[in-house]
Amino acid sequence: MMVPELGEIFELKAELNSDKKEKKKEAVKKVIASMTVGKDVSALFPDVVNCMQTDNLELKKLVYLYLMNYAKSQPDMAIMAVNTFVKDCEDPNPLIRALAVRTMGCIRVDKITEYLCEPLRKCLKDEDPYVRKTAAVCVAKLHDINAQLVEDQGFLDTLKDLISDSNPMVVANAVAALSEIAESHPSSNLLDLNPQSINKLLTALNECTEWGQIFILDCLANYTPKDDREAQSICERVTPRLSHANSAVVLSAVKVLMKFMEMLSKDLDYYGTLLKKLAPPLVTLLSAEPELQYVALRNINLIVQKRPEILKHEMKVFFVKYNDPIYVKLEKLDIMIRLASQANIAQVLAELKEYATEVDVDFVRKAVRAIGRCAIKVEQSAERCVSTLLDLIQTKVNYVVQEAIVVIKDIFRKYPNKYESVIATLCENLDSLDEPEARAAMIWIVGEYAERIDNADELLESFLEGFHDESTQVQLQLLTAIVKLFLKKPTETQELVQQVLSLATQDSDNPDLRDRGYIYWRLLSTDPVAAKEVVLAEKPLISEETDLIEPTLLDELICYIGTLASVYHKPPSAFVEGGRGVVHKSLPPRTASSESTESPETAPAGAPSGEQPDVIPAQGDLLGDLLNLDLGPPVSGPPLATSSVQMGAVDLLGGGLDSLIGGPNFVTPPAATVPANLGAPMGSGLSDLFDLTSGVGTLSGSYVAPKAIWLPAMKAKGLEILGTFTRQVGSISMDLQLTNKALQVMTDFAIQFNRNSFGLAPAAPLQVHAPLSPNQTVEISLPLNTVGSVMKMEPLNNLQVAVKNNIDVFYFSTLYPLHILFVEDGKMDRQIFLATWKDIPNENEAQFQIRDCPLNAEAVSSRLQSSNIFTVAKRNVEGQDMLYQSLKLTNGIWVLAELRIQPGNPNFMLSLKCRAPEVSQHVYQAYETILKN
């Protein structure tokens, strides 16, 4: 901080104490100016505070500004100003009363807060609405400093009364204040909304300022109407907001309507009218300046995924203008593809071909990709898309050619045996490819269609020369392509396959490449027929939209339209830091009057309605990297079936390939690099996983949440599933209750999980012994293990499940509580605990507050122990009980905790340290759940 000259302070001091009003005012202005540029003028605190005793509003504002800035660093001095506040709160001029209240709220000094309660109480009941609306916001600020005080003083009840105020601005500010307080205390149920209070909010909505309208609309969005009639009447009264000039008001109104439309039946005339009314305001948002357009486009992207019918006739608005900034162009392109259909595909392709000749490289790449995505999405246009891509390849522009090859690979996957005639043209451009993705795509094409390319071996050999300089993606593709080629033309390519296998296994230090190399080597040497079945297997067709947001996340993001979450396309919990619990929002359930058959939104993307897919559709692009969470080695791997051939002891390529090649001159891989005991289970088998030996697991088991509805009958053709998770003596299970609410008998039940963050998977089939008759309910406990495939989910504890019966396959997702993964040997030795705590970097420490828990330290410790959170040590520091605790997850991640308990105070402080910090939020939720139930 800059320190002003001593003389300067001295002069200002003299001017501040001058008798002339004008001189005083000028002096305060100078002080504020110095403060603004960062000079330290706190020495003048008493002199500036003396200037508060004035009737001049402008001077008062300046003094209050100074006060807000320095009260924190000079709390003892700030108390001097309290009397003036109290006096100003009774000033005849409402502007001064409001100014005093506003400043009081901004002074975050504990000592002063209790003096402010009386003036604040008077202002909340002031006859002037301007003062009341300012006081309402002050309550929220005060609550942030000292929540207990606000509750004791009864300010929250006064705030609730202000919702019925006659002045719309007071109503809006009261709603804003209550919403803010409710956000930091999700369990408090402050905004107890009912049809009467909703009616008052809707009445105030028409007359507030734009910010007031946003507060009220956001509050309405959190309300769940009791039936579709009420939802419709709210929608009717919110619709006029769509024509507001402020884009934030429009987006808030869209959010409310999108949320309540869930409850309206699609057969209603009103539903159709509402769809028509939603399009024009969204289109209007696109005529704003680019930054606003971008926010609007990100929101429209979500809306189009949820209800494409809203904008299906508005394709033209999303055509790119030459002067759009690149970020707007890319977003528009994305939405164009989402809206592409048979009706408008000709227009879209003409546009995209135009874009592919632009100058902006990123944009051109995305446009070429878009042509490929259109081909995959609209089958009738595939022919035109392929010929358009071939025209673009003829331009010989390097990056255009590379992108075109990448998308043509996908088109081959989608429409096998249709467009392979273009392979020759692709091969001509082989030398110009320098990007890993394009090289990998080309190699895949050569390997996959080797029997149609005469010189496939030469082409692949040309890539082998610089094998070690290639990226991993290309090396893996090349290995697979050469093995495919070998299986198709064994006699000619034997040397080539040996060369690539030895490059991959002996000369490479990339574990993925070596593993794949060894697997191919063993497959080829022990069972060539099996190798053929594995490597040349039929590939599943790729689904249309590969980048759709996963349905539960999409529903949550729709509830956050018009906020940062809708721009990031991530739930707030993914980017909001701090101990405030972020509440997960979700759309209201459809009411009974809406269609009973499965609505198109709930049908899984990419599953053709006729055939039943036997796996869960991939979530987006599988969220990028499967293991981008730093998961340690699994506690225990799946016991591999001991093969009849003990791999280490056998000449690996002896005889197995001779029949295929017709000669025994094949080199064996070096025995040293082959793991000898492939047959033995990894880790020490299941007994270690379930920890049956240690006997620590208490029989009471950890806390079990009551069963919740996971799959409503309406979405699953009459099958209703309720469920919860339990952990007892080391075994995890999913307790299900299946009810048949259909008119036909249900049989042939099966269950499958998608890959998830902790590898949860069913340990046994779903056993429903007798057919499930109509109106019959059956309870099943499905044992789970944690040796399934791992993929980081969003949120971390999301589990996507597919349940099949004789009628159909149904998908749902649920969040499992993390404490079912806390293992029984999670108690860390004291010394190791200390060393580990020091070793984990401080930025990995997360702090949380557990509120309203009446237990003492003993009770807390024993309750947590029954859920496998172990107290390593306990000490008493200045009257506070400090519990040091450890827990271990099934995948080997340790979490260390420090729990501070002040006797008599129901709020505990929890500090968590972990090498994988993304786990902390969920561990905190486990603490909350276990301690409060």
Side-chain angles (χ1 to χ4, degrees):
M1 183 176 276
M2 293 184 279
V3 179
E5 315 287 315
L6 276 175
E8 199 179 338
I9 292 263
F10 194 71
E11 281 170 29
L12 284 172
K13 206 181 184 77
E15 286 176 27
L16 286 169
N17 292 317
S18 151
D19 302 336
K20 298 199 178 89
K21 277 190 178 171
E22 272 311 304
K23 212 165 185 188
K24 253 188 185 175
K25 192 157 114 187
E26 285 310 308
V28 175
K29 279 185 178 171
K30 284 182 195 167
V31 171
I32 298 287
S34 302
M35 179 177 95
T36 312
V37 295
K39 290 183 179 175
D40 182 10
V41 283
S42 55
L44 296 168
F45 203 93
D47 308 285
V48 177
V49 171
N50 283 338
C51 300
M52 274 173 87
Q53 321 287 345
T54 172
D55 304 333
N56 182 325
L57 188 60
E58 191 185 356
L59 180 56
K60 230 184 189 51
K61 275 187 178 172
L62 292 169
V63 174
Y64 276 173
L65 201 62
Y66 176 88
L67 234 152
M68 283 189 245
N69 199 25
Y70 283 118
K72 227 184 187 141
S73 54
Q74 314 256 348
D76 300 338
M77 294 285 225
I79 291 186
M80 300 182 352
V82 164
N83 286 335
T84 320
F85 279 137
V86 177
K87 242 171 46 200
D88 280 354
C89 282
E90 292 174 8
D91 193 278
N93 181 347
L95 289 176
I96 289 184
R97 298 202 295 275
L99 185 64
V101 169
R102 177 176 297 132
T103 314
M104 282 167 15
C106 294
I107 296 181
R108 303 179 60 86
V109 177
D110 261 348
K111 288 184 180 174
I112 301 184
T113 41
E114 48 248 40
Y115 295 106
L116 306 183
C117 292
E118 274 321 302
L120 180 57
R121 182 171 288 116
K122 283 181 186 150
C123 290
L124 280 167
K125 301 216 160 52
D126 198 283
E127 79 267 6
D128 190 285
Y130 182 73
V131 180
R132 294 201 299 277
K133 88 178 179 82
T134 314
V137 176
C138 184
V139 174
K141 290 181 173 171
L142 192 60
H143 188 275
D144 199 34
I145 305 167
N146 189 339
Q148 204 52 50
L149 181 74
V150 171
E151 285 158 28
D152 297 346
Q153 295 281 345
F155 286 149
L156 293 181
D157 298 327
T158 319
L159 261 190
K160 287 181 190 169
D161 297 343
L162 286 183
I163 287 190
S164 323
D165 198 277
S166 56
N167 182 292
M169 268 323 294
V170 178
V171 176
N173 278 17
V175 166
L178 282 169
S179 303
E180 175 132 334
I181 294 170
E183 242 169 49
S184 55
H185 292 69
S187 53
S188 58
N189 193 18
L190 283 176
L191 274 164
D192 184 20
L193 296 174
N194 52 40
Q196 290 72 37
S197 55
I198 289 290
N199 195 20
K200 288 173 188 156
L201 294 183
L202 288 165
T203 311
L205 184 62
N206 298 326
E207 294 156 37
C208 316
T209 63
E210 42 202 30
W211 285 110
Q213 294 185 21
I214 292 169
F215 291 140
I216 290 179
L217 287 167
D218 286 351
C219 175
L220 287 173
N222 292 333
Y223 173 64
T224 307
K226 60 178 190 298
D227 56 24
D228 48 357
R229 300 253 309 272
E230 190 187 356
Q232 182 173 337
S233 86
I234 295 175
C235 288
E236 283 166 354
R237 294 176 68 179
V238 168
T239 314
R241 297 300 107 215
L242 292 173
S243 49
H244 199 284
N246 183 325
S247 49
V249 176
V250 174
L251 280 177
S252 292
V254 169
K255 167 167 64 184
V256 175
L257 296 172
M258 284 291 289
K259 204 166 167 182
F260 290 175
M261 276 171 87
E262 280 294 300
M263 299 185 67
L264 302 179
S265 157
K266 291 194 169 175
D267 314 331
L268 280 177
D269 294 343
Y270 180 69
Y271 181 85
T273 318
L274 197 51
L275 283 180
K276 287 196 189 100
K277 283 186 178 164
L278 274 169
L282 293 173
V283 170
T284 310
L285 290 177
L286 296 182
S287 49
E289 52 267 38
E291 293 76 13
L292 281 179
Q293 276 189 52
Y294 178 72
V295 172
L297 286 164
R298 292 291 282 176
N299 280 284
I300 288 171
N301 200 328
L302 295 174
I303 293 166
V304 166
Q305 287 184 53
K306 184 73 187 162
R307 298 196 184 284
E309 61 271 29
I310 294 177
L311 288 161
K312 68 177 177 207
H313 301 304
E314 302 291 346
M315 177 63 92
K316 280 229 168 82
V317 221
F318 299 107
F319 286 176
V320 172
K321 299 192 181 79
Y322 75 97
N323 56 353
D324 281 338
I326 180 70
Y327 53 88
V328 170
K329 286 181 173 174
L330 295 176
E331 273 310 306
K332 281 185 170 176
L333 207 50
D334 215 26
I335 295 170
M336 275 170 66
I337 301 161
R338 292 204 194 289
L339 291 174
S341 65
Q342 211 176 328
N344 55 25
I345 194 74
Q347 265 182 318
V348 174
L349 274 181
E351 270 301 293
L352 291 175
K353 193 170 178 182
E354 203 60 39
Y355 301 161
T357 56
E358 290 263 343
V359 285
D360 192 312
V361 178
D362 281 339
F363 180 52
V364 172
R365 285 172 181 278
K366 185 108 180 205
V368 177
R369 292 240 162 160
I371 295 174
R373 275 174 63 189
C374 287
I376 287 169
K377 187 171 178 192
V378 185
E379 188 165 340
Q380 294 74 9
S381 72
E383 188 97 22
R384 299 177 62 167
C385 293
V386 172
S387 65
T388 307
L389 288 168
L390 287 176
D391 293 349
L392 291 172
I393 288 177
Q394 296 309 335
T395 61
K396 299 284 188 223
V397 178
N398 189 317
Y399 52 88
V400 176
V401 174
Q402 312 218 40
E403 285 298 327
I405 286 179
V406 172
V407 296
I408 285 178
K409 180 196 86 169
D410 287 343
I411 294 175
F412 284 168
R413 285 280 308 271
K414 176 75 179 172
Y415 308 113
N417 305 323
K418 231 174 159 182
Y419 300 110
E420 282 80 358
S421 53
V422 306
I423 291 176
T425 319
L426 303 183
C427 292
E428 289 164 18
N429 293 284
L430 233 153
D431 302 337
S432 64
L433 307 180
D434 52 15
E435 291 166 20
E437 197 174 0
R439 289 174 78 86
M442 193 64 227
I443 291 168
W444 182 86
I445 292 171
V446 175
E448 187 64 21
Y449 302 105
E451 67 279 10
R452 303 179 186 210
I453 304 172
D454 301 333
N455 59 344
D457 48 348
E458 289 167 30
L459 295 178
L460 291 175
E461 202 166 351
S462 67
F463 284 105
L464 258 193
E465 285 154 16
F467 186 77
H468 289 305
D469 305 328
E470 299 283 7
S471 70
T472 310
Q473 186 183 3
V474 177
Q475 291 177 333
L476 288 166
Q477 274 302 0
L478 195 51
L479 173 61
T480 304
I482 290 178
V483 171
K484 282 179 185 169
L485 175 67
F486 173 68
L487 289 168
K488 291 174 181 178
K489 304 180 178 176
T491 41
E492 300 135 55
T493 53
Q494 185 194 333
E495 280 177 24
L496 192 60
V497 79
Q498 285 195 350
Q499 199 183 341
V500 77
L501 285 174
S502 81
L503 280 172
T505 52
Q506 291 164 37
D507 308 346
S508 165
D509 44 16
N510 178 333
D512 294 340
L513 189 60
R514 291 179 53 177
D515 285 355
R516 191 181 287 191
Y518 276 127
I519 284 175
Y520 283 151
W521 201 319
R522 291 191 183 116
L523 261 175
L524 293 172
S525 57
T526 50
D527 192 347
V529 182
K532 225 167 185 165
E533 281 172 11
V534 170
V535 181
L536 303 179
E538 279 288 304
K539 292 176 191 45
L541 295 184
I542 52 179
S543 69
E544 282 139 38
E545 295 283 358
T546 47
D547 57 349
L548 284 177
I549 294 176
E550 191 257 333
T552 37
L553 177 59
L554 180 62
D555 286 355
E556 186 177 351
L557 290 177
I558 292 286
C559 303
Y560 286 110
I561 284 178
T563 65
L564 208 49
S566 68
V567 178
Y568 284 158
H569 288 188
K570 288 179 177 175
S573 52
F575 60 87
V576 176
E577 302 239 311
R580 288 187 171 193
V582 178
V583 194
H584 278 289
K585 299 184 178 180
S586 59
L587 293 179
R590 285 197 168 280
T591 49
S593 64
S594 69
E595 62 275 37
S596 55
T597 55
E598 192 171 337
S599 61
E601 288 94 295
T602 54
S609 49
E611 44 194 87
Q612 300 190 341
D614 53 5
V615 294
I616 299 181
Q619 177 198 22
D621 51 3
L622 282 185
L623 290 185
D625 180 9
L626 295 188
L627 290 170
N628 59 0
L629 173 60
D630 179 19
L631 300 171
V635 178
S636 137
L640 300 174
T642 312
S643 143
S644 54
V645 184
Q646 201 61 26
M647 285 298 185
V650 168
D651 167 8
L652 273 178
L653 291 170
L657 269 183
D658 293 351
S659 53
L660 191 68
I661 307 163
N665 50 1
F666 211 89
V667 191
T668 64
T673 51
V674 180
N677 59 339
L678 254 184
M682 292 151 55
S684 51
L686 289 175
S687 62
D688 176 38
L689 177 71
F690 290 155
D691 198 9
L692 300 176
T693 48
S694 63
V696 185
T698 43
L699 265 169
S700 62
S702 56
Y703 164 72
V704 180
K707 287 196 179 81
I709 293 187
W710 285 347
L711 185 64
M714 216 178 326
K715 287 206 172 159
K717 299 184 182 172
L719 172 64
E720 180 181 73
I721 300 182
L722 281 77
T724 184
F725 293 92
T726 62
R727 181 184 185 96
Q728 280 187 315
V729 203
S731 316
I732 307 172
S733 53
M734 184 192 247
D735 290 355
L736 298 169
Q737 177 183 319
L738 310 182
T739 305
N740 180 355
K741 296 192 170 179
L743 298 174
Q744 67 192 93
V745 174
M746 293 182 179
T747 56
D748 307 335
F749 284 91
I751 191 165
Q752 192 168 4
F753 294 180
N754 202 351
R755 298 192 249 182
N756 53 76
S757 308
F758 294 93
L760 275 177
L766 184 62
Q767 301 278 351
V768 180
H769 293 299
L772 198 58
S773 314
N775 293 324
Q776 191 187 351
T777 296
V778 60
E779 304 253 349
I780 299 160
S781 184
L782 176 72
L784 307 182
N785 59 29
T786 50
V787 295
S789 303
V790 174
M791 175 176 85
K792 186 180 179 187
M793 298 297 283
E794 186 59 60
L796 205 60
N797 56 339
N798 190 3
L799 178 66
Q800 297 175 333
V801 183
V803 172
K804 170 184 151 313
N805 62 14
N806 57 329
I807 298 171
D808 205 345
V809 181
F810 307 106
Y811 303 93
F812 63 89
S813 62
T814 177
L815 300 175
Y816 49 89
L818 213 61
H819 62 260
I820 62 166
L821 303 173
F822 298 173
V823 297
E824 282 65 24
D825 59 346
K827 186 162 185 175
M828 202 178 245
D829 176 74
R830 279 182 178 207
Q831 294 328 104
I832 298 175
F833 183 94
L834 255 173
T836 313
W837 185 276
K838 285 181 187 156
D839 190 35
I840 295 176
N842 283 341
E843 58 264 25
N844 282 21
E845 183 170 350
Q847 307 248 342
F848 303 95
Q849 191 171 23
I850 299 174
R851 295 178 179 273
D852 309 326
C853 182
L855 306 173
N856 63 8
E858 283 304 312
V860 165
S861 184
S862 77
R863 184 172 291 190
L864 290 171
Q865 174 140 354
S866 66
S867 287
N868 296 339
I869 300 175
F870 299 94
T871 303
V872 175
K874 179 181 166 189
R875 40 190 261 250
N876 192 296
V877 182
E878 297 172 359
Q880 283 194 23
D881 286 323
M882 313 279 269
L883 299 180
Y884 297 97
Q885 298 177 316
S886 70
L887 62 97
K888 182 169 139 192
L889 296 169
T890 47
N891 59 5
I893 292 180
W894 285 90
V895 182
L896 312 188
E898 174 191 80
L899 190 60
R900 273 177 293 182
I901 303 175
Q902 179 94 41
N905 179 357
N907 298 343
F908 305 164
M909 285 305 297
L910 174 67
S911 302
L912 295 175
K913 262 191 163 186
C914 175
R915 293 196 197 282
E918 46 273 81
V919 175
S920 300
Q921 174 70 32
H922 301 282
V923 172
Y924 154 67
Q925 283 163 358
Y927 265 85
E928 281 258 330
T929 311
I930 296 163
L931 291 176
K932 291 188 180 176
N933 291 290

